[in-house]
Amino acid sequence: MYYKKLESGKVRFFDTYQTLSGKRKQVTVTLDTASAQSHRQAKNIIAQKIERKLQAEREAYDALHNATIAQVFDVYWETRKREISASYAFREKGQFDTFLNDFDFGNKRIKAISSMELQKFVNFFDKPSTRLEFKRHLVQFFDFAFDLRYIDINEAKRIRIPKVRQTIEQKERHDLKFFTFEEFNEFVDSAKCYIANLRSSYHRELGYRRLLMLEFIFLTGCRYGEAAALEWKNVDILMRDIYIRQSWQINLGKVGPTKNLQSVRHIAIDERTAEILEEMKARSECNFVFATTHHQPFPNGALNKFMKKVGEYGGMAKNPKDFSTHMLRHSHITLLVLAGVPQKVIMDRVGHSNPRTTSEIYTHLISSQKQQAVKVLNDLPRIA
């Protein structure tokens, strides 16, 4: 330890110590004099300062190297929940609760976690989509832990998701998950007959409102949540325009933001959609365009159940078990593709942020396209 007199007349004592990482650092204390008593006092004060610094370093080291997954997740979630919508946060938090609590990963040291443990966790789930979703969440979480130096390597990136070989039956079923215009007309006719035979005027009214909402989704390509949250203030029937700026969050039971910023959009509507809105306007008793008689949006599950019942009632060729509101959105986009509408226009209309979503998921090859391909081949010069 050494000291230095300051211009103020006081004396500053200096000493150094070695940190846990091996670096040398300096500690100082300023006293009034350089007497022997001051030397002893400075020595004690500096020793206490060094011990506090070393203790803080030991605690930081312990927090970094012995932190549990649950402790790191608490830090991660404070940031993550601000990046996503409340509806998506509700779902994602539920999946992490499964990982942390149901499978007891929360009490494990994050630095000791192995890729084998994570692989076994993901393998527990049968659905490939569930496995992919858990891997995506885990990779993102362990990336956060890596950036904050809780871990030296992201073991979640080693998780392997087996490629699922699609059977012929699965491909055929996937290709049928949309309505052609003729098939949807058949569905509407079946629905009208089904509704007419319901037991009371109350149930017939509910059924007719459901049918109008399903037609609206088919003709606009809206997501269920967007149609359910649509309010009259965002509808201009005269100008044939609707403004999508919010979505119904099923799990929270309230209006929230759209899926992404690209989903905030204006949609031009056709004459039949305008007629649907006029019919709902005559029935309207609240701010929502498509609402039950209790002034609440129709639950998606109730609409899907209604579609399945109508499909069974009408004896439709397609499997009614596959009927859903999202199938109507698929149908709308497929019809636009068949009509030759440019991909960018389709993306803007349905609120897609990624062109792959439009081109890969919704571009189905159906009868008219197959016949068109045959016509092109027939028109080619004959091969000798």
Side-chain angles (χ1 to χ4, degrees):
M1 185 175 70
Y2 64 98
Y3 68 89
K4 176 182 177 182
K5 287 189 176 180
L6 305 177
E7 291 183 1
S8 62
K10 293 188 176 184
V11 179
R12 179 166 294 163
F13 292 86
F14 299 82
D15 204 352
T16 62
Y17 74 99
Q18 189 172 356
T19 66
L20 297 181
S21 60
K23 294 180 179 179
R24 300 296 305 183
K25 286 195 173 182
Q26 190 178 73
V27 183
T28 66
V29 62
T30 303
L31 298 177
D32 292 332
T33 67
S35 64
Q37 183 179 357
S38 294
H39 271 75
R40 289 192 295 273
Q41 185 181 2
K43 188 175 182 180
N44 288 334
I45 293 173
I46 286 177
Q48 291 173 11
K49 277 190 171 186
I50 291 173
E51 178 55 33
R52 285 198 297 270
K53 289 179 180 293
L54 288 173
Q55 181 61 28
E57 197 175 346
R58 283 191 289 268
E59 289 175 358
Y61 180 89
D62 183 67
L64 196 62
H65 292 269
N66 297 315
T68 65
I69 292 179
Q71 289 171 332
V72 179
F73 176 77
D74 288 341
V75 180
Y76 168 75
W77 192 246
E78 281 301 310
T79 301
R80 177 61 177 162
K81 68 184 181 183
R82 291 177 170 83
E83 298 173 340
I84 52 180
S85 68
S87 178
Y88 195 81
F90 181 87
R91 174 179 170 80
E92 188 172 319
K93 182 63 164 57
Q95 290 175 320
F96 271 112
D97 285 343
T98 298
F99 173 70
L100 297 171
N101 303 323
D102 297 348
F103 286 79
D104 202 29
F105 276 92
N107 295 321
K108 297 183 178 182
R109 284 179 58 240
I110 193 167
K111 210 170 184 66
I113 203 71
S114 70
S115 56
M116 181 62 72
E117 291 175 283
L118 298 177
Q119 184 71 60
K120 287 180 178 179
F121 164 73
V122 171
N123 287 350
F124 175 83
F125 302 95
D126 294 327
K127 289 181 64 175
S129 59
T130 304
R131 291 180 177 181
L132 282 169
E133 193 168 16
F134 268 113
K135 179 184 178 179
R136 181 165 51 81
H137 291 325
L138 290 173
V139 168
Q140 192 168 13
F141 166 63
F142 281 97
D143 266 345
F144 174 86
F146 175 80
D147 290 342
L148 268 63
R149 300 186 179 179
Y150 283 105
I151 55 176
D152 300 318
I153 189 170
N154 185 344
E155 295 287 348
K157 289 183 176 179
R158 300 179 186 270
I159 297 173
R160 294 291 298 273
I161 305 297
K163 293 182 179 178
V164 180
R165 296 190 65 177
Q166 194 178 41
T167 65
I168 294 175
E169 291 77 13
Q170 287 172 328
K171 182 183 183 303
E172 289 174 344
R173 188 173 178 181
H174 178 266
D175 288 345
L176 289 172
K177 280 192 175 180
F178 68 96
F179 289 113
T180 63
F181 192 77
E182 293 74 18
E183 287 170 337
F184 188 68
N185 272 336
E186 180 188 351
F187 174 84
V188 172
D189 290 339
S190 298
K192 288 177 179 177
C193 292
Y194 173 78
I195 293 167
N197 287 304
L198 291 175
R199 65 179 182 272
S200 69
S201 59
Y202 168 77
H203 288 93
R204 289 191 291 274
E205 176 63 23
L206 279 183
Y208 191 62
R209 291 185 183 210
R210 286 172 180 156
L211 178 58
L212 289 176
M213 184 173 178
L214 296 175
E215 281 193 72
F216 175 85
I217 295 174
F218 179 82
L219 293 169
T220 61
C222 285
R223 299 177 178 90
Y224 154 77
E226 296 168 348
L230 184 63
E231 295 182 294
W232 288 112
K233 65 183 179 182
N234 295 318
V235 172
D236 191 333
I237 299 176
L238 184 63
M239 297 301 295
R240 300 294 191 263
D241 178 83
I242 58 172
Y243 181 40
I244 303 297
R245 65 180 305 275
Q246 58 193 25
S247 181
W248 183 253
Q249 299 179 331
I250 308 170
N251 48 16
L252 301 179
K254 65 178 184 179
V255 169
T258 55
K259 186 176 182 179
N260 49 53
L261 283 178
Q262 286 73 22
S263 297
V264 178
R265 63 200 187 278
H266 286 270
I267 299 177
I269 60 174
D270 63 323
E271 292 304 312
R272 174 55 189 154
T273 305
E275 290 174 6
I276 290 170
L277 293 171
E278 291 283 9
E279 289 189 64
M280 286 307 302
K281 189 72 173 176
R283 290 172 155 79
S284 178
E285 299 164 343
C286 66
N287 294 329
F288 293 118
V289 174
F290 298 102
T292 67
T293 51
H294 298 293
H295 307 163
Q296 287 295 311
F298 282 105
N300 194 37
L303 292 171
N304 291 338
K305 187 176 180 181
F306 175 80
M307 290 184 71
K308 290 172 172 58
K309 285 185 175 181
V310 168
E312 291 170 359
Y313 178 86
M316 295 184 67
K318 275 185 164 53
N319 187 351
K321 292 181 180 178
D322 294 331
F323 289 6
S324 69
T325 55
H326 204 65
M327 183 179 179
L328 302 178
R329 179 170 160 84
H330 285 209
S331 304
H332 181 80
I333 299 170
T334 303
L335 293 173
L336 295 182
V337 171
L338 291 175
V341 177
Q343 186 182 48
K344 181 64 169 67
V345 176
I346 298 175
M347 286 178 61
D348 291 343
R349 182 174 177 83
V350 299
H352 279 164
S353 57
N354 188 342
R356 289 182 60 187
T357 308
T358 311
S359 59
E360 291 182 6
I361 299 180
Y362 300 112
T363 309
H364 305 292
L365 187 66
I366 62 174
S367 300
S368 60
Q369 288 176 298
K370 293 176 182 176
Q371 293 304 317
Q372 184 180 358
V374 172
K375 183 179 183 300
V376 169
L377 290 172
N378 283 333
D379 290 342
L380 291 174
R382 185 178 294 274
I383 299 174

